[in-house]
Amino acid sequence: MLLKAATVVAVIALVAVGYFLWSHRRAIDEAESAWATIAAAAQQQAGAAVFDPAMVADLPEVAQRYFLHAIAPGTPLRTTVTLRMEGQFLLGDRDSNQPYAMVARQILAPPDAFVWLPVMRSGVLTITGSDGSLDGKAWMQFWINSLVPVVNAQSTPDLVRSAQFRSAMESIWVPAALLPRDGIAWQAGGADKAIVTISTFENPIVLELTLDETGALTEVVGLRWSDANPEKTFRLQPFGGTIEAEGSFEGYTIPTMVKVGNLFGTDGFLPFFQAEIVEAKYL
């Protein structure tokens, strides 16, 4: 009888393991499919337009400074990028957090489409999954060692709004997506600060970019719709961080070392996302 019971338990355990492995694989495949959809759309939209400094001549000086630094004259205007990054991801809060070594790849098509596929390791633990937004839907799905689901957030209005902010802020990796047009407005916020308003969403997103004298970004911050707070309640709160290095790829000069997180500028700030961009390809 004991042997039979043990056999039943073993079978149930194997079925459970198989189910979680299948769930993980299916979720990764769905993220890869979303990636392919974004890439295909970029190929269809690619045109012959190139950057001309005259395009930004009517903007405030600080905004001109940004674009003239970020986009070389004659660069094809691409608004989708694939990135490879590595660095560190801190899970927890300012008082208690666990660092994970991170490598990731991402496709990004602001203002609201992206797929981020990381691998984060700490000791024997490996976290994989995806974070993404496409066609008005958003998701966050992550597993430990491909078996234990730790995050399974499907599309809700709160999650979509939060994901829209992420994509909008990460436009700093796709400078052509920030060129002035319907839904993108620039104004000066000071000698070295530019205010970018992205009004293509129901809830407009406002970003504050701090530049140095050359036009290089040094800081980016905005109000993100987030529940990353002690109350676990969705609300607008500061999100942002610092840029510590930059590099040039295919005519674009973009931040290559960033440290960003929730509650930027407050005592609760933790730069949980610390990444170095090692490759950027524009589609």
Side-chain angles (χ1 to χ4, degrees):
M1 183 65 72
L2 289 176
L3 180 59
K4 184 177 180 179
T7 300
V8 170
V9 170
V11 169
I12 292 173
L14 286 173
V15 170
V17 168
Y19 172 76
F20 286 128
L21 287 172
W22 172 80
S23 297
H24 176 266
R25 184 65 262 169
R26 183 183 65 173
I28 295 297
D29 288 345
E30 290 174 347
E32 295 284 8
S33 177
W35 180 300
T37 297
I38 297 171
Q43 294 297 332
Q44 292 174 0
Q45 295 170 5
V50 298
F51 180 65
D52 182 338
M55 293 176 173
V56 298
D58 293 333
L59 294 181
E61 184 280 330
V62 67
Q64 293 185 48
R65 196 191 323 165
Y66 167 74
F67 283 112
L68 296 179
H69 180 82
I71 313 177
T75 298
L77 296 177
R78 304 288 189 238
T79 56
T80 301
V81 68
T82 62
L83 304 166
R84 287 196 308 109
M85 62 189 73
E86 55 191 37
Q88 185 171 240
F89 197 95
L90 306 180
L91 283 178
D93 56 31
R94 184 179 179 89
D95 297 325
S96 177
N97 57 79
Q98 175 66 42
Y100 283 75
M102 174 191 70
V103 295
R105 55 193 179 93
Q106 179 172 349
I107 189 166
L108 172 65
D112 63 351
F114 71 92
V115 176
W116 183 61
L117 289 156
V119 177
M120 298 178 282
R121 293 188 171 93
S122 179
V124 299
L125 300 180
T126 299
I127 297 177
T128 53
S130 70
D131 186 4
S133 172
L134 179 64
D135 294 334
K137 297 181 179 179
W139 69 91
M140 292 178 63
Q141 294 180 294
F142 294 98
W143 283 259
I144 294 177
N145 296 344
S146 303
L147 287 173
V148 182
V150 289
V151 178
N152 185 20
Q154 296 301 316
S155 198
T156 65
D158 288 325
L159 188 62
V160 169
R161 187 175 177 183
S162 182
Q164 288 171 343
F165 179 90
R166 171 175 177 168
S167 182
M169 174 169 278
E170 292 182 356
S171 295
I172 60 175
W173 288 324
V174 196
L178 288 172
L179 284 166
R181 62 182 188 277
D182 288 345
I184 306 287
W186 286 75
Q187 64 186 91
D192 295 316
K193 291 187 184 296
I195 307 298
V196 186
T197 301
I198 301 171
S199 57
T200 52
F201 308 117
E202 180 180 355
N203 300 286
I205 292 169
V206 179
L207 301 175
E208 182 181 273
L209 310 182
T210 302
L211 313 177
D212 69 12
E213 65 279 2
T214 72
L217 282 169
T218 61
E219 186 177 289
V220 57
V221 65
L223 293 177
R224 184 176 189 175
W225 190 250
S226 173
D227 65 348
N229 50 63
E231 295 74 31
K232 302 301 179 184
T233 300
F234 274 97
R235 63 192 183 208
L236 287 174
Q237 58 188 38
F239 186 101
T242 56
I243 289 96
E244 301 187 354
E246 64 177 15
S248 296
F249 305 86
E250 300 177 9
Y252 294 98
T253 298
I254 59 172
T256 53
M257 294 190 70
V258 299
K259 292 183 178 181
V260 299
N262 297 292
L263 304 174
F264 182 69
T266 76
D267 291 339
F269 174 60
L270 173 71
F272 69 85
F273 183 75
Q274 303 181 12
E276 177 184 5
I277 302 300
V278 296
E279 178 182 271
K281 295 183 178 179
Y282 291 86
L283 306 183

